């Protein structure tokens, strides 16, 4: 599985907004600078997040972006889906839309299981969890496994 630059930038932008939620709207330029995200690229991402109902925007001198709802009500999966679409796909197709024949038939339940595990993690972690440094225990346990940090 690959996390796109777009998804990584989107999560980082939403985290920045969560960290500064009490400071009022934040300009895209400020988010881009603090998170080292290309500004023009970020503008498109923020538009996707706004259309998905995850952020609000306001124009003008005191304008900028804010979270549209509490950080505890936004999951990492919500953010990724807003900018990249389905979290797990095979050749651009959701696993439930695939069919295999013959010796490849066992692939389908494998892809479905992979999707279930990825969703379990990404839907179980909120922006507030990350912003406060309190990842769920199951995520902490997985990240604590030495093999998780190795590149085979």
């Amino acid at each position: 599985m690959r996390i796109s630059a777009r998804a990584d930038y989107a999560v980082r932008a939403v985290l920045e907004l969560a960290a500064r939620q009490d400071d009022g709207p934040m300009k895209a330029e400020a988010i881009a600078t603090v998170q080292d995200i290309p500004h023009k690229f970020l503008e498109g991402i923020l538009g996707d997040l706004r259309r998905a109902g995850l952020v609000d925007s306001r124009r003008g001198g005191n304008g900028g972006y804010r979270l549209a709802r509490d950080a505890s009500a936004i999951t990492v999966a919500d953010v990724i889906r807003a900018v990249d679409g389905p979290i797990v796909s095979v050749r651009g197709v959701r696993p439930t839309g695939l069919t295999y024949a013959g010796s490849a038939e066992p692939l389908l339940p494998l892809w479905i299981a992979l999707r279930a595990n990825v969703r379990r993690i990404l839907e179980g972690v909120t922006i507030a969890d990350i912003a406060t440094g309190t990842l769920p225990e199951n995520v902490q346990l997985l990240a604590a496994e030495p093999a998780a940090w190795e590149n085979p």
Side-chain angles (χ1 to χ4, degrees), residues 12-82:
R12 289 167 45 199
V14 170
L15 281 168
E16 194 63 36
L17 292 173
R20 300 173 189 262
Q21 187 72 353
D22 296 334
D23 299 341
M26 190 171 183
K27 303 256 186 234
E29 297 87 7
I31 299 168
T33 299
V34 171
Q35 287 297 322
D36 195 26
I37 299 171
H39 178 253
K40 285 292 183 192
F41 197 33
L42 179 61
E43 286 285 353
I45 290 167
L46 289 168
D48 288 344
L49 294 171
R50 186 179 46 75
R51 284 185 288 282
L54 300 178
V55 301
D56 288 325
S57 63
R58 183 182 318 155
R59 293 180 183 254
N62 293 326
Y65 293 88
R66 306 180 61 124
L67 294 182
R69 54 187 192 242
D70 193 84
S72 64
I74 301 172
T75 68
V76 175
D78 294 331
V79 177
I80 293 172
R81 284 184 184 117

Side-chain angles (χ1 to χ4, degrees), residues 6 103 129:
R6 189 171 186 79
S103 61
D129 292 335

